[in-house]
């Protein structure tokens, strides 16, 4: 690719792509490509100027330059994003430009007499909406707009009436764009990120393959904790499916053979074989949009309160205008007051502030599914952490495989990997990875697999029952035994590792030692959260009390619970909420799903199970717990911005009303100042929060 550097500072460069023009598709492709370069932290491409702004780690400069030089639109191995939002942004930019140019041409080139007729015609929709509100017995901002426009027309101040309608149109356009972008950003956050699926072959085995290789009519296998990647019809199996991402309904639904299944829903419990009916999942995005449009999930309490306050202030504005006219008998002063309303600023700046905060969270690898969750993060006083994969390393490793009952070490690891590869958990991933390192092929050896949440996996291999899981599951639930001469060997297993037990035919066959070190920055994050005002930080785990106590001491949590089941985590959170606390739950596994649902805010680590990400309200996509500190900073900054917006809106508009009542400002001046302040506050609400807080 031919390009030149326009400007560069350490870690940031602006590059011009030397081509006559750039399409939106080319801009999306280049931006996606640049974002995937190792060392690039952010990339933005403008199709209008053919410029790219790239932020990168200084040590990666040469890699970025090489990637730019070698890029080609036709050969780029990059998937074009299905919904980038670029077309929508261009649409609103064009509409805004046309509206401004039309207003300028009207003022410059159209005779005054014709302008009056056009202004009167344009006022009809505003007057109609105001009259409809009155007929419904409602005194809302539509009545205020109609009254101010009608007053100007009756006083033959057509320029003022035209200016009021122009500014109202600009405000409506910005509000519409804000809402659509919010919905599309949220829908994108809820979109699928699945690239591999289990395909049932003709001989009955399962093969892991890329989702782009799947065709209509193929049969795919989806098990507990996994997302359903494509629309289809169940042909075998039975499962409880969580459809909250599409319907908003939290309760799972039973699905059996013949049931239709939608991409993006999650198998909560059970197994399904699905005949694929739609290979691109195109309907899912539209279904998400419809679900969001019909719900109030996006709105924070602050946004809802702003909307209510705006409508409640309308009668007071009318009262001020009426009182001014009664005292002064000056219709000009009354009209000046009618041109000021609190609604535009309150209803526009609050959603923009929330949207901006959600966007900024995205730049820090935090995906937020609605503004109200940031508000709840700012108010929360308790955080409950899962241990494995959350406070401990996202990539635990197999330290050793201790064979029992005369079994071969590698064969036991091969068998464990064959079972574990079907289930999304950090420990399962560690076992599969260990088998790969040892070059152990673990093709399907079992007839069926069932997952017992928070306990383990059961299958049948060569006619024998095979179990893998916790000690409680193997020895108490399954009743497996240890050979008498190996009891001492079992007791002498090192305590510093987590133990995963494998039993074949009811006899212990191996113990896999899992090294699960605490994340490097876990203790710093815990201290940081304490400093940010959290009263209680609690760790919960299914591990032994000995292991839990060791981890809790290392990271400095206030309390911990060991050997807990999923329902125990949810019950603890429920009791905290009953006691008046606002609780955040942070987890990554299938067994964390009930707790994530029970908490005021559920936060999932993206490297964990699909069901955790679907149920969670916020997903931390960066493998770094410090994102939690960033999220708290952003949430508190958002609430401070909202409070400041409230203060400024009330202060400015009250001042305009007072100046209008005193006769200092004309109706046109109050309209201009009111709308200018509204746009200024809204634009200020788009600024990043973190630099302000760090300054």
């Amino acid at each position: 690719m031919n390009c030149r550097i326009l400007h560069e500072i350490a870690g940031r460069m602006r590059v011009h792509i030397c081509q006559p023009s750039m399409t939106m598709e080319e801009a999306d492709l280049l931006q996606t490509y640049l974002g995937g370069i190792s060392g690039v932290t952010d990339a933005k491409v403008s199709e209008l100027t053919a410029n790219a702004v790239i932020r990168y780690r200084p040590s990666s400069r040469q890699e970025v330059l090489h990637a730019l030089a070698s890029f080609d639109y036709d050969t780029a191995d990059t998937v074009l994003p299905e919904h980038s939002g670029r077309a929508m942004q261009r649409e609103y930019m064009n509409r805004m430009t046309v509206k401004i140019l039309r207003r300028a041409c009207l003022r410059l080139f159209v005779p005054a007499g014709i302008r009056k007729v056009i202004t009167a015609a344009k006022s009809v929709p505003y007057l109609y909406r105001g009259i409809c509100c009155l007929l419904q017995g409602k005194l809302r901002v539509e009545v205020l707009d109609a009254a101010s426009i009608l007053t100007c027309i009756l006083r033959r101040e057509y320029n003022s009436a035209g200016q009021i309608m122009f500014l109202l149109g600009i405000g409506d356009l910005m509000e519409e764009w804000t809402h659509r972008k919010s919905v599309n950003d949220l829908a994108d956050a809820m979109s699928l990120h699945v690239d591999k699926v289990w395909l049932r072959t003709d001989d009955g085995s399962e093969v892991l393959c890329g989702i782009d290789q799947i065709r209509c009519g193929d049969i795919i296998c989806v098990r507990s904790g996994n997302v359903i990647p494509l629309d289809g019809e169940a042909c075998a199996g039975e499962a409880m499916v969580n459809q909250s991402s599409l319907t908003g309904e939290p309760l799972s639904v039973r699905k059996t053979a013949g049931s239709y299944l939608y991409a993006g829903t999650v198998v909560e419990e059970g197994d399904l074989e699905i005949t694929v009916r739609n290979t691109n999942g195109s309907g899912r995005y539209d279904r998400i949009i419809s679900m969001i449009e019909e719900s109030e999930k996006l709105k924070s309490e602050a946004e809802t309160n702003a909307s209510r306050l705006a409508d409640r202030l309308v009668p007071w504005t009318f009262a001020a205008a009426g009182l001014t006219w009664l005292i002064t008998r000056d219709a000009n002063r009354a009209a000046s007051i009618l041109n000021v309303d609190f609604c535009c600023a309150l209803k526009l700046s609050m959603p923009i502030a929330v949207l901006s905060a959600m966007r900024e969270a995205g730049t820090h690898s935090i995906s937020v599914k609605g503004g109200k969750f940031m508000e709840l993060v700012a108010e929360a006083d308790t955080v409950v952490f899962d241990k494995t994969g959350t406070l401990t390393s996202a990539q635990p490793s197999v330290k050793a495989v201790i064979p029992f009952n005369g079994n071969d070490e590698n064969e036991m690891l091969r068998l464990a990997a064959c079972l574990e590869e079907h289930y999304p958990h950090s420990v399962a991933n560690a076992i599969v990875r260990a088998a790969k390192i040892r070059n152990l092929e673990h093709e399907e050896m079992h007839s069926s697999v069932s997952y017992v949440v928070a306990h383990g996996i059961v299958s049948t291999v060569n006619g024998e029952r095979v179990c893998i899981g916790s000690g409680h599951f193997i020895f108490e639930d399954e009743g497996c035994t240890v050979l008498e001469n190996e009891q001492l060997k079992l007791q002498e297993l090192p305590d510093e590792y987590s133990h995963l037990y494998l039993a074949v035919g009811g006899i212990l066959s191996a113990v896999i030692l899992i090294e699960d070190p605490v994340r490097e920055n876990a203790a710093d994050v815990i201290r940081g959260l304490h400093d940010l005002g959290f009263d209680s930080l609690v760790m919960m785990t299914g591990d032994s009390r000995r292991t839990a106590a060791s981890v809790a001491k290392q990271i400095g949590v206030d309390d911990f619970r060991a050997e807990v089941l999923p329902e125990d985590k949810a019950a603890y959170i429920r009791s905290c909420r009953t006691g008046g606390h606002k609780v955040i739950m942070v987890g990554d596994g299938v067994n964390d799903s009930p707790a994530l649902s029970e908490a005021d805010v559920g936060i999932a680590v993206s490297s964990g199970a699909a069901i955790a990400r679907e149920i969670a309200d916020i997903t931390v996509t960066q493998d770094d717990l410090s994102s939690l500190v960033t999220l708290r900073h952003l949430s508190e900054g958002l609430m401070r911005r909202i409070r400041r917006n409230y203060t400024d809106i009330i202060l400015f508009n009250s001042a305009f009303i007072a100046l209008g009542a005193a006769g200092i400002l004309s109706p046109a001046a109050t309209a201009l100042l009111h709308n200018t302040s509204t746009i200024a506050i809204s634009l200020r609400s788009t600024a990043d929060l973190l630099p302000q807080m760090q300054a």
Side-chain angles (χ1 to χ4, degrees):
M1 170 178 279
N2 186 16
C3 57
R4 69 175 186 270
I5 298 174
L6 299 177
H7 180 264
E8 183 176 11
I9 58 175
R12 180 187 182 276
M13 69 170 68
R14 185 159 60 93
V15 179
H16 178 69
I17 313 303
C18 300
Q19 60 186 73
S21 63
M22 179 179 285
T23 66
M24 287 187 286
E25 290 76 15
E26 288 174 337
D28 282 336
L29 190 64
L30 178 57
Q31 182 168 303
T32 305
Y33 170 78
L34 292 173
I37 298 172
S38 176
V40 171
T41 58
D42 185 52
K44 299 293 181 186
V45 178
S46 169
E47 76 279 8
L48 297 176
T49 61
N51 288 345
V53 176
I54 309 167
R55 298 180 185 275
Y56 56 91
R57 290 192 289 272
S59 59
S60 303
R61 183 179 184 276
Q62 289 302 319
E63 186 177 353
V64 172
L65 293 176
H66 175 73
L68 276 170
S70 60
F71 177 76
D72 183 85
Y73 292 115
D74 297 326
T75 60
D77 186 20
T78 302
V79 179
L80 190 67
E82 187 177 357
H83 300 278
S84 69
R86 193 180 296 272
M88 184 191 70
Q89 183 173 335
R90 171 73 72 85
E91 173 196 345
Y92 280 94
M93 285 178 62
N94 291 342
R95 288 172 62 182
M96 183 76 74
T97 302
V98 168
K99 187 178 285 290
I100 293 171
L101 289 176
R102 186 184 296 154
R103 174 68 179 170
C105 291
L106 187 68
R107 294 294 302 273
L108 293 173
F109 305 116
V110 178
I114 298 178
R115 287 207 306 269
K116 292 178 182 179
V117 175
I118 294 174
T119 300
K122 286 184 175 180
S123 69
V124 173
Y126 292 96
L127 299 177
Y128 175 76
R129 287 195 292 268
I131 292 170
C132 287
C133 279
L134 287 175
L135 292 177
Q136 294 171 6
K138 298 177 181 177
L139 197 60
R140 297 194 312 207
V141 72
E142 289 86 350
V143 181
L144 193 60
D145 292 339
S148 62
I149 293 168
L150 181 61
T151 300
C152 289
I153 291 176
L154 292 176
R155 290 172 55 80
R156 300 183 180 277
E157 295 177 351
Y158 291 96
N159 285 337
S160 295
Q163 186 177 21
I164 292 168
M165 288 186 286
F166 169 71
L167 292 169
L168 286 174
I170 292 291
D172 290 342
L173 189 62
M174 290 184 67
E175 186 172 357
E176 181 186 339
W177 175 81
T178 299
H179 175 72
R180 277 194 60 188
K181 190 173 189 311
S182 298
V183 170
N184 279 273
D185 283 351
L186 178 53
D188 185 63
M190 298 170 72
S191 293
L192 296 180
H193 301 284
V194 179
D195 55 0
K196 298 284 187 180
V197 295
W198 286 99
L199 174 67
R200 175 73 73 184
T201 60
D202 294 337
D203 62 3
S205 62
E206 296 177 24
V207 177
L208 188 65
C209 64
I211 195 168
D212 56 338
Q213 298 176 259
I214 302 298
R215 301 290 179 262
C216 286
D218 286 346
I219 296 176
I220 59 174
C221 304
V222 185
R223 296 186 172 85
S224 295
N226 282 305
V227 66
I228 295 172
L230 300 165
D231 291 356
E233 184 178 325
C235 57
E238 179 179 345
M240 299 300 292
V241 177
N242 187 301
Q243 302 183 132
S244 61
S245 63
L246 294 184
T247 65
E249 193 61 43
L251 298 178
S252 56
V253 179
R254 182 172 175 266
K255 298 287 185 178
T256 57
S259 299
Y260 200 82
L261 298 146
Y262 296 100
T265 56
V266 180
V267 176
E268 208 166 71
E269 183 180 348
D271 304 320
L272 287 171
E273 292 185 10
I274 303 169
T275 302
V276 175
R277 300 300 185 203
N278 186 352
T279 56
N280 58 22
S282 59
R284 169 176 161 77
Y285 192 87
D286 294 330
R287 291 196 298 270
I288 292 175
I289 293 289
S290 299
M291 185 268 290
I292 298 170
E293 291 280 7
E294 294 170 3
S295 74
E296 290 298 314
K297 187 177 183 180
L298 182 65
K299 288 186 178 294
S300 65
E301 188 67 25
E303 291 175 271
T304 304
N305 290 340
S307 182
R308 291 172 182 165
L309 177 61
D311 288 332
R312 285 200 300 266
L313 288 173
V314 172
W316 292 97
T317 304
F318 271 112
L323 184 62
T324 298
W325 185 81
L326 287 173
I327 294 173
T328 65
R329 296 296 175 175
D330 187 339
N332 198 53
R333 297 188 184 190
S336 297
I337 295 174
L338 290 175
N339 286 338
V340 180
D341 71 77
F342 297 86
C343 182
C344 287
L346 288 171
K347 288 188 176 181
L348 183 61
S349 65
M350 300 307 178
I352 287 179
V354 173
L355 169 65
S356 177
M358 292 170 63
R359 171 198 57 76
E360 188 175 355
T363 65
H364 293 279
S365 303
I366 303 167
S367 175
V368 185
K369 292 183 180 178
K372 72 175 183 180
F373 303 121
M374 294 194 73
E375 186 174 31
L376 288 168
V377 168
E379 297 171 354
D381 56 14
T382 301
V383 183
V384 176
F385 293 93
D386 170 55
K387 180 185 78 69
T388 305
T390 303
L391 289 172
T392 57
S393 172
Q395 286 196 334
S397 59
V398 173
K399 184 66 177 178
V401 179
I402 311 299
F404 283 74
N405 194 23
N407 287 291
D408 178 73
E409 176 182 335
N410 283 339
E411 283 303 312
M412 291 300 97
L413 180 58
R414 186 199 309 273
L415 178 57
C418 184
L419 300 180
E420 292 283 4
E421 67 180 343
H422 295 282
Y423 295 97
H425 191 269
S426 54
V427 172
N429 295 337
I431 292 172
V432 173
R433 195 164 51 248
K436 184 177 181 180
I437 292 172
R438 297 191 189 190
N439 295 316
L440 300 176
E441 295 293 334
H442 47 89
E443 62 276 356
E444 298 296 317
M445 299 187 293
H446 46 74
S447 58
S448 63
V449 182
S450 61
Y451 178 63
V452 183
V453 174
H455 288 288
I457 299 171
V458 177
S459 185
T460 302
V461 177
N462 298 326
E464 288 190 297
R465 186 176 177 85
V466 178
C467 311
I468 185 170
S470 65
H472 172 82
F473 175 61
I474 296 297
F475 298 119
E476 297 180 26
D477 293 349
E478 289 294 319
C480 298
T481 59
V482 185
L483 295 180
E484 187 68 30
N485 62 343
E486 293 185 322
Q487 289 284 351
L488 181 61
K489 180 180 178 181
L490 178 65
Q491 295 172 8
E492 291 178 344
L493 291 174
D495 291 337
E496 62 265 30
Y497 305 114
S498 297
H499 300 164
L500 193 66
Y501 300 86
L502 175 66
V504 179
I507 299 175
L508 181 66
S509 299
V511 177
I512 301 175
L513 305 184
I514 304 294
E515 188 173 34
D516 192 19
V518 172
R519 289 180 186 261
E520 289 183 4
N521 64 341
D524 293 335
V525 169
I526 295 298
R527 281 193 296 271
L529 293 175
H530 272 134
D531 293 341
L532 286 170
F534 285 101
D535 299 326
S536 179
L537 302 176
V538 181
M539 183 189 76
M540 306 195 85
T541 178
D543 272 354
S544 67
R545 184 173 181 83
R546 168 190 51 77
T547 303
S550 174
V551 173
K553 183 178 180 181
Q554 288 181 61
I555 62 177
V557 291
D558 300 303
D559 195 8
F560 71 91
R561 300 284 190 278
E563 300 177 4
V564 295
L565 298 175
E567 54 267 31
D568 298 328
K569 295 180 183 180
Y572 177 82
I573 291 172
R574 194 179 305 118
S575 67
C576 288
R577 295 182 66 192
T578 303
H581 299 282
K582 280 192 167 57
V583 184
I584 296 171
M585 170 67 195
V586 186
D588 76 319
V590 175
N591 57 331
D592 297 321
S593 303
L596 290 168
S597 298
E598 187 66 44
D600 292 286
V601 182
I603 300 179
V605 178
S606 65
S607 57
I611 190 170
R613 298 194 300 272
E614 285 293 313
I615 289 176
D617 308 307
I618 297 173
T619 301
V620 178
T621 56
Q622 189 179 35
D623 191 20
D624 185 356
L625 283 179
S626 62
S627 297
L628 299 176
V629 176
T630 302
L631 177 62
R632 176 72 163 198
H633 274 305
L634 280 170
S635 300
E636 291 182 334
L638 171 61
M639 299 316 296
R640 284 196 296 271
R641 174 169 286 173
I642 286 174
R643 289 192 292 270
R644 182 181 176 186
N645 283 355
Y646 267 115
T647 301
D648 290 350
I649 290 165
I650 299 299
L651 180 64
F652 289 152
N653 286 284
S654 297
F656 299 150
I657 288 174
L659 293 172
I664 297 172
L665 294 178
S666 66
T670 55
L672 177 62
L673 289 171
H674 158 67
N675 285 284
T676 301
S677 67
T678 296
I679 294 173
I681 292 172
S682 298
L683 290 175
R684 185 185 69 189
S685 297
T686 65
D688 285 347
L689 292 160
L690 288 185
Q692 293 179 7
M693 291 182 294
Q694 292 166 354

